[in-house]
Amino acid sequence: MRAVIFGASGLLGRPMMRAFADQQVSGTGLRRKSQRLITLDATSPGDVRDVLDRLRPDIVVNCVGERRPEVWAGAPARARRLNVAAARLIAQGAHDHGARLLHISSDYVFDGRNPAYRTDAPRNPVNAYGRWKRLAEDAVRSLCPEATILRLPVLYGRAEYATETNLTQIASQLSAGCDMELDDDCVRYPTHANEAAEVCRWIAGAQLQGRYLGSVCHWSAEQGFTKYEMVVMIARRFGLPAVHVRAGQADTAGGDRPVDCRLDCGDLRAALGWPAHRYRRFDEEFTQVVEPWLLSFRPVSAEGGR
Ligand SMILES: NC(=O)c1ccc[n+]([C@@H]2O[C@H](COP(=O)([O-])OP(=O)(O)OC[C@H]3O[C@@H](n4cnc5c(N)ncnc54)[C@H](OP(=O)(O)O)[C@@H]3O)[C@@H](O)[C@H]2O)c1
């Protein structure tokens, strides 16, 4: 099996490359360069076509997107291109090359008012990101009807910089003693990126056996927390003071936030048949993810800063 992972330098793309390492896998990135990755612009029709012509994959996974509100709110046209135009080009390319496509979408296609959401629940996004993800899903479905769409909730995992994930960002702010008011309204289901990637690898294998074609799947961890609850957990686990942290309302920078987009993952869980110990629990996993970003725990770096 030859696989191409678009967006392989990102939070999900990195573990995706590891999950597909048993196959002949190639990954792409844009700004983050590495010898292991092909540099291309997924919003360029020529770049997408050229790489697919050259690599002739059996499976394509699209992890390109812009999901950080602080970025997409400031540059909505660019974010829309990454979330929608790139999805369109990759879907068209996968279809033209006869490759199976696994497209990554988001729980933000739902309005958060009526959880848990089954895969066929009506979509009603409340902000621009959710609307782009819905547009991307529709484009993928029309251009590559056999594509599988996987919706995921907020992800966490080994970060390359503190602001790469919500979790590592709030952990570093907590340890720096920043005055913070954090959303205590919206429930999130932080899911480990490694687990999401392993699920993708499983789905890709099923796609190549002719299963899950044209379907929508959901994957999510089960434990739900507000951002405020997460920061309190971090403070307790590491014995950090949290007097400078207050419970607040949903952060509306970048538009409304859905209150609770819990995904019903029953179908996929049953199909995977994984033993209970294989599922990653946030309360057991977050410690090692945030520890490198707690300023008071970090050794003084070579540059002399913290
Ligand atoms: N992270 C989450 O919490 C979360 C939750 C639900 C769904 N999702 C979805 O999952 C997917 C992956 O998210 P992620 O968190 O891994 O995103 P990410 O960390 O921001 O990574 C985005 C990837 O897209 C690449 N990219 C950006 N602009 C590009 C362009 N013009 N051409 C080619 N590649 C480009 C980036 O490459 P460079 O960095 O090298 O430029 C990077 O590899 C996205 O569709 C996202 O919407 C994410």
Side-chain angles (χ1 to χ4, degrees):
M1 169 172 85
R2 284 189 301 274
V4 172
I5 315 294
F6 285 93
S9 53
L11 178 68
L12 179 59
R14 297 191 301 270
M16 195 75 76
M17 289 294 284
R18 292 195 293 275
F20 279 77
D22 60 329
Q23 306 298 324
Q24 196 178 324
V25 61
S26 306
T28 81
L30 181 64
R31 278 171 293 206
R32 285 174 273 190
K33 318 273 185 218
S34 121
Q35 284 184 335
R36 294 176 46 243
L37 298 180
I38 300 162
T39 300
L40 61 72
D41 181 358
T43 64
S44 153
D47 279 12
V48 172
R49 195 179 46 243
D50 288 352
V51 81
L52 295 175
D53 282 349
R54 186 154 56 85
L55 297 173
R56 305 229 152 258
D58 305 295
I59 185 101
V60 169
V61 185
N62 179 12
C63 300
V64 172
E66 181 49 77
R67 40 76 194 175
R68 295 163 298 174
E70 66 281 12
V71 177
W72 57 251
R78 177 181 174 275
R80 185 188 162 113
R81 280 199 303 280
L82 290 185
N83 287 308
V84 186
R88 197 182 287 278
L89 290 175
I90 291 167
Q92 183 70 65
H95 181 70
D96 291 348
H97 287 80
R100 300 293 185 213
L101 171 64
L102 176 54
H103 172 81
I104 306 300
S105 188
S106 164
D107 59 349
Y108 268 36
V109 296
F110 297 118
D111 59 19
R113 295 186 198 115
N114 197 21
Y117 290 94
R118 291 173 52 89
T119 54
D120 58 355
R123 298 164 304 165
N124 184 31
V126 299
N127 62 27
Y129 173 70
R131 287 190 286 276
W132 294 326
K133 295 312 257 187
R134 179 176 62 180
L135 282 172
E137 288 188 359
D138 292 343
V140 166
R141 183 58 67 232
S142 79
L143 295 167
C144 188
E146 295 202 330
T148 304
I149 293 171
L150 176 66
R151 297 190 186 122
L152 297 171
V154 66
L155 301 175
Y156 70 102
R158 199 166 62 77
E160 287 189 335
Y161 50 95
T163 56
E164 190 174 24
T165 72
N166 257 203
L167 180 68
T168 48
Q169 180 171 23
I170 59 176
S172 80
Q173 289 170 340
L174 169 77
S175 66
C178 299
D179 196 29
M180 286 195 280
E181 182 169 308
L182 286 175
D183 174 2
D184 198 25
D185 285 344
C186 300
V187 183
R188 295 159 171 83
Y189 297 85
T191 296
H192 204 295
N194 292 5
E195 181 177 277
E198 285 161 21
V199 169
C200 288
R201 174 67 188 85
W202 185 93
I203 293 173
Q207 286 178 287
L208 290 170
Q209 293 166 3
R211 296 185 291 138
Y212 287 93
L213 302 183
S215 71
V216 177
C217 303
H218 285 173
W219 188 256
S220 171
E222 289 193 326
Q223 294 177 301
F225 308 93
T226 66
K227 266 193 191 175
Y228 176 73
E229 288 169 340
M230 285 189 232
V231 87
V232 169
M233 282 174 78
I234 299 168
R236 286 201 183 123
R237 184 70 53 94
F238 290 95
L240 294 168
V243 284
H244 51 290
V245 184
R246 296 179 307 283
Q249 293 178 333
D251 173 10
T252 51
D256 289 341
R257 296 298 179 99
V259 170
D260 186 345
C261 286
R262 182 155 56 91
L263 297 172
D264 182 328
C265 312
D267 294 349
L268 196 48
R269 275 178 188 264
L272 281 165
W274 285 357
H277 65 80
R278 187 149 175 202
Y279 296 111
R280 291 170 183 259
R281 288 175 57 93
F282 180 80
D283 57 0
E284 291 169 358
E285 299 276 345
F286 79 89
T287 313
Q288 67 181 82
V289 170
V290 302
E291 190 165 339
W293 304 104
L294 298 177
L295 301 187
S296 50
F297 279 72
R298 196 186 304 175
V300 174
S301 74
E303 300 104 57
R306 285 188 145 209

